[in-house]
Amino acid sequence: MTTEPPELDVFIRLSEVLLDASGLSRSAAAEVYAIVVAAAPARYGIDGSQPPMTALLATFAEQEALGAEGLADRLVSVLYADGTLGPMAKNLIITWYNGGLGLAVLSPANYGAALVWPVISAQPPGLPGPYYGSWAYPPPNLVTEPAVAAAAASDGAAMAAPVQVSATLRTPAEETS
Amino acid sequence: MTDCDVLIAGAGIAGALIGYQLSRAGIAVTFVDAGDRAYFDAATGADQRDELVRRFFAAPVKTTNSAFPNLAAAPSPDEGALNAYFVERGPAPFQSTYLRMVGGTTYHWLGTALRYTPGTFAERSRYGRGADWPFGYDELEPWYWRAEQAIGVAGDDAEDLGSPRAPGQGYPMPPVPASYNDQLVMAATAGLCVDGLPVEFRTTPQSRNTLLYQGRPACAGSANCIPICPIQAKYDASVHLKWAMNPSLDPSSPSGARPARLLTGLTVTRVLVGPDSQVSGLVVKAPGVEERVLTARTYVLALNAIENAKVLLCSATESLPNGVANSSDAVGRYLMDHDVKITYARLPKPAYLFRGPLSTAGVESMREGSFRSRRAAFRIELQNTGWSWAAGSPFTDVTALVNQGLTGAALRKAVAWQVNTQIELNGLIEPEPDPSNRVRPSATLRDALGVPRPELTYSIGQYSIDGAAAFWTAAQAVYQRLGATEVAEVPGWQGAGHLMGTHRMGTDPASSVCDGYGRTFDHPNLFLTGSGLFPTVDAANPTLTIAAVALRTAAQLVEAFTGKGDAA
């Protein structure tokens, strides 16, 4: 079990902004945190005095303090301009989506937390689907072409419900119950 | 005094089915397997795969063997480190894997349960290619039906897929529902013909429950047939091992059934032959202990096409310099796989992938015809998992889109669209048996137990290359009907996990190793089983044929031991 870092709450808020998600699992978040830290350089900054994760969370806190409006866009432009913090943010997103980064993976208890599966309207392989034969029918969350969705939205046309990242991430225990 | 009546080396599907039938007939059976333990409790019948499923969850790379322990004392080849066990001598790499564990490779098989076409059994006389089997389709047909019941095949009785079914002998379960993806492809390709052959996508007969069967549940759509079905809706050999070891668990057990013994953690290293040409024992080895010899009246080698051949060749002595059962010099030769061509494309609308069994439909209508005198047959397997094999989807899609700078809702929509509009069609290409494709025990390289590692010489012949070209033409025609774009072929070949041909059966002891029952010509009490027996194959996956041939062998053994015919 990964120990909860003291900055976990900030890390979860950062993750939620980058992912446009809410209700992320704390247990999974602690593991994602550890994976992102392990993949980052040892030190950050001109004098190398700061751990990169501290810098990442401090940068987020600065942007967060400026207000919720436009936070995601501001944050991404600030982080992605930075040759260390940008790749860390990308690693954070990839780890949440794929349930791991390279050879580092979430523990079996958090296997079901990988976001890519609900995003593509599937479930993590090895955990059961919704009902027998469900694969013969389209899933409840239909998928639309991103460019088409953007064009239609700007026309004010009614759109099919977009895929939603599960607001509350399911745990394996809930999946199998 | 022998240890048992029949000693079966290898507790995979072929060994389990034979051992089960013999134990039902009251014959004393011992299984010996290199696997360190069974993943079930033979006393209660409780399945213990949870540990394997957790291992899969924890594996960073989800290879076909990622749910299973890779034992130092009995290594299994794994895609992640193929050369750690195989000694590849080329020119092409042999890329198929297997599992050395109790229950064998059925733990990670896909579950495809096709019969071979009648022409396959007479490939030499009909097409001038390969070799004829020692029996025809008509002889094996009743055993196919019994095999379908034994391993629980779900299929459509109305579709014979080129392999005629006897009247009234339907599949034991209704077909697996076609995936949404299958339905899109079936609708788009209606009436399509290529090179005069119909391109008919049909639901694949598969050893996957669609009803409660043998006490196992219906498929829950866990989308994880490979490497492990988490609920055993897919058949694996533990079903018949359990019943053989504890007949009280078998609902159809006869009163005279005799519980079989299972010895684990023992690697068979050599076959001993007495002066009378009868096999006198199997030498087994475990880490840190002296070799010992297990004895029986009759022996069955059911390891797999590579390990069976390796053990026979490792058993060479002064009087048998070619190895055991090898007066023909055919042991280890004619190694075959279904070399796989992977193609992929982008669909104009979502197919909603990664749901349900990994593949539920394919084209079986291009496996038989006079073209087999010129080029290989093929079958097309339609994947329900997008470009997972071609490109590592969906993980690689995520990584690429994140690296393009997408975040938040834009990333979510892009991933959903990009993954769900993928299609992958894979061609399983018929191989032509080639004596220079072979397995030998390495003269210098050994595993941790000191057993020679398998050295593989392998090439893909022009017959298969021409078959792959025909497949590519057909795949492009399918993609065109679908309005697909980004049509591409993955360079090179992949392995299908189908190990075949290395101890072929036949009618002539000069050119084959076994008769049609798997009895070796050289040693009357030594039987070989599994797809190593197949002198030729068509483009279909081999497991149902392994089961059918094993059941036919079992009946022969029961008759020999009890004087009573037909064990089924």
Side-chain angles (χ1 to χ4, degrees):
Chain A
M1 234 27 227
T2 307
T3 320
E4 267 199 16
E7 321 89 323
L8 190 62
D9 287 326
V10 188
F11 181 78
I12 290 174
R13 292 206 305 278
L14 166 65
S15 298
E16 289 178 346
V17 171
L18 289 174
L19 297 165
D20 184 35
S22 59
L24 297 175
S25 145
R26 289 188 71 80
S27 163
E31 294 183 7
V32 173
Y33 178 101
I35 289 171
V36 173
V37 166
R43 310 301 296 174
Y44 176 78
I46 296 162
D47 59 357
S49 62
Q50 216 177 11
M53 181 58 86
T54 305
L56 178 67
L57 296 178
T59 305
F60 170 65
E62 285 163 18
Q63 295 301 321
E64 193 182 34
L66 297 175
E69 197 178 331
L71 172 58
D73 288 345
R74 280 200 316 276
L75 179 67
V76 168
S77 46
V78 168
L79 291 179
Y80 280 25
D82 185 303
T84 301
L85 303 186
M88 282 181 77
K90 288 178 179 175
N91 281 348
L92 178 155
I93 298 171
I94 291 169
T95 309
W96 271 115
Y97 262 77
N98 289 351
L101 185 72
L103 294 180
V105 290
L106 300 184
S107 66
N110 284 315
Y111 173 76
L115 290 173
V116 67
W117 305 112
V119 161
I120 64 169
S121 302
Q123 69 286 330
L127 300 178
Y131 58 93
Y132 174 76
S134 56
W135 54 88
Y137 306 97
N141 287 335
L142 297 180
V143 170
T144 49
E145 188 168 6
V148 172
S154 66
D155 292 346
M159 289 299 301
V163 176
Q164 296 176 352
V165 168
S166 53
T168 50
L169 287 181
R170 292 170 292 180
T171 66
E174 286 164 349
E175 287 276 6
T176 50
S177 62
Chain B
M1 186 67 190
T2 56
D3 297 327
C4 59
D5 291 330
V6 179
L7 179 59
I8 300 175
I13 182 171
L17 285 171
I18 291 173
Y20 166 72
Q21 294 293 354
L22 300 184
S23 78
R24 281 172 66 87
I27 297 164
V29 171
T30 298
F31 296 104
V32 57
D33 197 275
D36 57 347
R37 55 165 284 197
Y39 285 86
F40 57 82
D41 178 351
T44 63
D47 193 87
Q48 296 169 341
R49 74 186 51 219
D50 284 5
E51 184 178 329
L52 300 171
V53 173
R54 277 198 304 277
R55 184 185 288 266
F56 163 75
F57 287 168
V61 184
K62 311 295 190 196
T63 58
T64 52
N65 283 350
S66 59
F68 311 99
N70 199 342
L71 304 172
S76 297
D78 184 274
E79 295 96 338
L82 210 54
N83 293 287
Y85 184 53
F86 285 161
V87 180
E88 301 269 10
R89 290 291 179 235
F94 189 82
Q95 299 182 70
S96 282
T97 67
Y98 48 86
L99 267 172
R100 295 173 76 191
M101 66 179 282
V102 175
T105 310
T106 47
Y107 269 101
H108 87 203
W109 76 310
L110 177 58
T112 300
L114 292 158
R115 299 176 174 200
Y116 285 168
T117 54
T120 299
F121 298 84
E123 189 144 10
R124 168 60 58 181
S125 44
R126 200 182 280 197
Y127 303 121
R129 291 282 182 168
D132 286 354
W133 288 46
F135 48 78
Y137 178 82
D138 290 347
E139 166 62 26
L140 199 59
E141 199 280 332
W143 299 102
Y144 268 134
W145 185 59
R146 287 166 188 172
E148 286 161 353
Q149 295 169 85
I151 67 173
V153 179
D156 182 353
D157 297 342
E159 295 279 356
D160 74 15
L161 303 174
S163 301
R165 309 180 65 80
Q169 297 188 344
Y171 291 101
M173 284 178 280
V176 173
S179 69
Y180 183 77
N181 175 43
D182 295 340
Q183 296 169 50
L184 290 183
V185 175
M186 287 170 177
T189 54
L192 178 64
C193 276
V194 172
D195 284 344
L197 293 167
V199 187
E200 294 172 344
F201 281 86
R202 295 288 182 269
T203 300
T204 309
Q206 47 207 287
S207 190
R208 189 177 333 284
N209 285 0
T210 54
L211 306 166
L212 184 68
Y213 190 79
Q214 295 174 334
R216 297 179 290 116
C219 175
S222 306
N224 204 53
C225 323
I226 301 171
I228 186 165
C229 174
I231 61 168
Q232 208 185 13
K234 180 191 75 179
Y235 174 85
D236 60 67
S238 71
V239 170
H240 286 96
L241 285 175
K242 262 189 252 188
W243 290 350
M245 293 167 69
N246 183 354
S248 71
L249 298 170
D250 173 10
S252 70
S253 178
S255 57
R258 185 164 175 170
R261 271 203 315 162
L262 170 67
L263 304 176
T264 58
L266 293 175
T267 297
V268 176
T269 58
R270 277 173 298 143
V271 179
L272 302 179
V273 176
D276 56 356
S277 291
Q278 297 274 340
V279 168
S280 57
L282 299 185
V283 180
V284 296
K285 201 170 180 182
V289 290
E290 291 283 304
E291 281 189 340
R292 55 193 260 233
V293 177
L294 302 176
T295 60
R297 292 163 68 190
T298 296
Y299 300 83
V300 179
L301 288 193
L303 300 166
N304 64 40
I306 287 180
E307 297 293 329
N308 266 2
K310 192 187 81 178
V311 168
L312 293 171
L313 295 171
C314 281
S315 305
T317 58
E318 239 173 58
S319 55
L320 295 170
N322 280 347
V324 166
N326 198 23
S327 60
S328 63
D329 190 33
V331 170
R333 294 185 183 275
Y334 305 105
L335 172 65
M336 294 182 278
D337 190 0
H338 286 114
D339 304 301
V340 176
K341 273 300 203 187
I342 297 178
T343 73
Y344 59 102
R346 169 85 52 210
L347 294 168
K349 57 184 175 182
Y352 297 111
L353 302 161
F354 292 94
R355 302 181 310 138
L358 303 183
S359 174
T360 39
V363 173
E364 315 306 335
S365 53
M366 309 184 86
R367 280 169 34 211
E368 189 60 86
S370 58
F371 64 83
R372 289 180 80 180
S373 62
R374 308 189 303 279
R375 60 139 176 106
F378 60 85
R379 73 175 289 258
I380 304 177
E381 193 171 88
L382 170 58
Q383 306 298 315
N384 286 329
T385 51
W387 300 352
S388 60
W389 204 0
S393 296
F395 309 114
T396 47
D397 300 283
V398 168
T399 304
L401 290 165
V402 171
N403 282 328
Q404 285 169 28
L406 294 184
T407 60
L411 173 64
R412 197 159 65 228
K413 286 175 184 165
V415 169
W417 180 261
Q418 186 152 313
V419 174
N420 274 310
T421 51
Q422 297 174 349
I423 178 170
E424 185 180 300
L425 296 173
N426 295 333
L428 274 71
I429 314 296
E430 175 196 3
E432 187 171 35
D434 175 350
S436 61
N437 284 349
R438 62 192 299 194
V439 53
R440 278 176 288 200
S442 169
T444 53
L445 298 169
R446 290 169 184 262
D447 66 23
L449 199 58
V451 178
R453 286 161 51 189
E455 180 175 301
L456 304 167
T457 306
Y458 193 69
S459 62
I460 296 166
Q462 193 60 43
Y463 186 71
S464 294
I465 292 168
D466 292 345
F471 158 68
W472 177 227
T473 303
Q476 287 173 292
V478 172
Y479 290 138
Q480 190 175 20
R481 280 284 189 97
L482 285 159
T485 54
E486 303 174 40
V487 176
E489 191 181 9
V490 174
W493 304 80
Q494 305 292 321
H498 304 163
L499 324 163
M500 306 175 289
T502 56
H503 46 79
R504 52 176 22 194
M505 53 185 167
T507 51
D508 180 4
S511 59
S512 50
V513 180
C514 305
D515 70 11
Y517 295 102
R519 184 192 296 266
T520 58
F521 289 118
D522 296 351
H523 315 289
N525 67 336
L526 175 63
F527 286 73
L528 308 178
T529 188
S531 40
L533 292 172
F534 301 174
T536 56
V537 298
D538 74 21
N541 312 45
T543 303
L544 184 71
T545 307
I546 293 173
V549 170
L551 288 174
R552 186 169 176 271
T553 294
Q556 174 77 4
L557 283 167
V558 167
E559 192 174 340
F561 271 89
T562 66
K564 292 181 208 152
D566 200 347

